[in-house]
Amino acid sequence: MKKNLNLLLISFLVSNGIQAQGLLNKSETQFTRQDSLRGSITKERSWWDLKYYDLDIKVNPADSTITGSNTIQYKVLQPYGVMQIDLQNPMEISKIIQDGVEQKFKREGNAYFITLASSQNIGATKEIKIFYHGKPKIAVRPPWDGGITWKKDKNGNNFIASSCQGLGASVWWPNKDHMYDEVDGMKISVNVPGKLTDVSNGRIQSVKDLKDGTNTYTWVVKNPINNYGVNINIGDYVTFSEKYKGEKGDLNCTYYVLKDNLAKAKEQFKQVPKMLKAFEHWFGPYPFYEDSYKLVETPYLGMEHQSCVTYGNGYKNGYLGRDLSGTGWGLKFDFIIIHESGHEWFANNITYKDIADMWIHESFTCYSESLFLEYYYGKEAGLEYVRGIRKNIQNDKPIIGHYDVNNEGSGDMYYKGANMLNTLRQLVNDDAKWRNILRGLNSTFYHQTVTTKQIEDYLSQQIGMDLNTFFNQYLRDIRIPTLEYTIQDNILKYRWTNIVSGFEMPVKVSLNGKEVLLKPKADWNELTNESKIDKLEINKDFYVLAREVSKQ
């Protein structure tokens, strides 16, 4: 979700003189040991494989604290005796138990290193129970600067939610806080004051009314889940539901909203089955039928929490009532319902191993907005929308960030990433094949964590084209490929500039109204037309520039 609101104010200004490759920006950032502990697959992480979490917590709005435990089931991959568990300040681990024995541990910043007393034999399945407490970081500007949001609704009831992509799930609960190893399933038990309801991931297993006036809500997740996708949402909720008849049968869709917003929600959330129909068409079956689909009102804009998508868009179409594209098409749908639900396929089904590859989540999901429009309003509507969002591109730094230090790349992973994919679609030049490629991504990498290379290799194979320099250009460089050309009577000379080494992408142009496929390289090439060339227009669905230059 992490779309910066500042992008809405930035115009698309690109100088033809840009020459410095974005790759060079990589050397300018300094990282700390804490960045490495958070962002790398350390020795203390790699020897064990996550199997199951049993998260059992009490949320106390009166003092903004969370207390509880997380029982971690894991499989031993290598014989090693030190385990890294992450929990961020000011939260604290108080005790750790394995096999009935209290374990020794030490803290280094946000990482805890546990010296396990018992033997860790290869192939064994073990459990460790971690007790913790504290006041988690308060979200400053959720979901971008996340943590826990503690607010009140207009009736004075507590309205609480978590959001922690990038920051990390360890901001509010202890876990293996790295994306490469998704837990296979989990249980989430949340104790809240009696008037309130907690909504978390998966399906509700039980609600227990306790003598102290509190209730404990227990949710069970049957599918693998990334750690930032785990959430709590606490409020004075009412609920309604429906069944969507999808590609894998009946999908339970349940909605949780504040009481005063029930009527508005029943109208606005009619977009959910429309979203499911469009995205199952383009991407394949909703990936979490076993865990249902939920849309939950929250005190912040929204987030793609798996099977528990959060919503705070004010029951308006657009992005808080605005059209990100400036074309009018952005007001045809509720941005949060469509975008955040699109992440169920690209973020929750297919998940990056390293946040440096966050484009895998955001480029495809931003692009999904245009596919939703295409499904209901026709191809040109979708194309107009994706072209319209170009005005928000900054070309400030590469889309791919630094690896192993929990560093995401440029916010251009949204708008530029979507236009990169739309450009790729033009190279495929076959709508049915393009749809099959998108569906194939979700079946090939079903419930997996992936790298950019895996996605690049898959697309290259399916399209039948070596896309290495294509992705180097759009993901690892900040320059926009520019078609330089000169016309003399019926002779067109052309080449690519502002490109990485070896970039040779074909491009469609119109010569006197007739479409021609050019295959430019860095060196000048020449085409002889059957008649005098009066006008050259580049196909506007390619994210490139064109510049006429003096005769060569």
Side-chain angles (χ1 to χ4, degrees), residues 41 53 143 201 235 315 328 417 425 444 447 457 500 549:
I41 305 173
Y53 285 135
N201 314 80
Y315 301 97
R425 181 182 187 176
T444 300
H447 291 177
D457 289 349
V500 299
V549 297

XYZ file of all heavy atoms in Angstrom, residues 41 53 143 201 235 315 328 417 425 444 447 457 500 549:
109
model
N 19.065 -12.465 5.871
C 18.801 -13.812 6.369
C 20.021 -14.220 7.180
O 20.975 -14.807 6.669
C 18.513 -14.791 5.219
C 17.368 -14.276 4.359
C 18.176 -16.182 5.775
C 17.123 -15.081 3.103
N 2.386 -20.054 14.025
C 2.355 -19.091 15.123
C 1.045 -19.265 15.896
O -0.020 -19.462 15.305
C 2.370 -17.646 14.604
C 3.677 -17.120 14.074
C 3.703 -16.402 12.874
C 4.867 -17.271 14.773
C 4.876 -15.867 12.383
C 6.057 -16.747 14.283
C 6.054 -16.039 13.084
O 7.224 -15.512 12.609
N -0.800 4.327 6.625
C 0.058 3.166 6.820
C 1.532 3.402 6.513
O 2.338 2.497 6.657
C -0.527 2.163 5.831
C -0.980 3.018 4.687
C -1.502 4.290 5.326
N -7.063 -11.832 10.797
C -6.986 -12.610 9.563
C -7.651 -13.974 9.714
O -7.791 -14.503 10.802
C -5.524 -12.795 9.175
C -4.727 -11.505 9.282
O -4.319 -11.123 10.371
N -4.520 -10.839 8.175
N -12.876 -2.268 17.209
C -13.826 -1.171 17.200
C -15.216 -1.624 17.575
O -15.468 -2.813 17.848
N -15.775 6.085 2.149
C -16.929 5.672 1.346
C -17.099 6.572 0.128
O -18.208 6.996 -0.214
C -18.193 5.620 2.211
C -18.037 4.653 3.358
C -17.661 5.087 4.629
C -18.199 3.285 3.155
C -17.473 4.186 5.670
C -18.011 2.377 4.197
C -17.651 2.838 5.449
O -17.450 1.934 6.478
N -10.588 11.120 -15.258
C -11.988 10.858 -14.939
C -12.250 9.405 -14.611
O -13.189 9.082 -13.873
N 6.017 1.664 -12.476
C 5.915 0.205 -12.579
C 4.706 -0.231 -13.372
O 4.774 -1.156 -14.186
N 3.067 -5.219 -22.093
C 1.878 -5.755 -22.762
C 1.902 -5.437 -24.255
O 1.451 -6.241 -25.083
C 0.620 -5.177 -22.125
C -0.676 -5.697 -22.747
C -1.893 -5.058 -22.111
N -3.132 -5.655 -22.588
C -4.337 -5.327 -22.126
N -4.470 -4.394 -21.186
N -5.420 -5.921 -22.605
N 1.914 -20.230 -10.925
C 3.302 -20.698 -10.851
C 3.918 -20.391 -9.491
O 4.642 -21.212 -8.923
C 4.144 -20.049 -11.960
O 3.598 -20.396 -13.238
C 5.597 -20.515 -11.899
N 1.292 -18.887 -3.387
C 1.659 -18.910 -1.968
C 3.169 -19.008 -1.777
O 3.645 -19.701 -0.874
C 0.966 -20.062 -1.238
C -0.507 -19.878 -1.096
N -1.326 -20.828 -0.519
C -1.339 -18.858 -1.441
C -2.576 -20.394 -0.520
N -2.604 -19.201 -1.076
N 12.594 -13.847 -15.068
C 12.819 -15.068 -15.853
C 11.500 -15.644 -16.349
O 11.401 -16.103 -17.507
C 13.568 -16.111 -15.023
C 15.022 -15.744 -14.777
O 15.509 -14.793 -15.415
O 15.661 -16.397 -13.938
N 20.264 1.958 -20.908
C 21.322 1.104 -20.377
C 21.967 0.361 -21.541
O 21.401 0.250 -22.637
C 20.765 0.089 -19.354
C 20.142 0.812 -18.162
C 19.767 -0.871 -19.999
N 15.655 15.197 -34.088
C 16.942 15.884 -34.043
C 17.328 16.316 -35.449
O 16.672 15.959 -36.444
C 18.033 14.982 -33.430
C 17.697 14.639 -31.987
C 18.204 13.697 -34.239
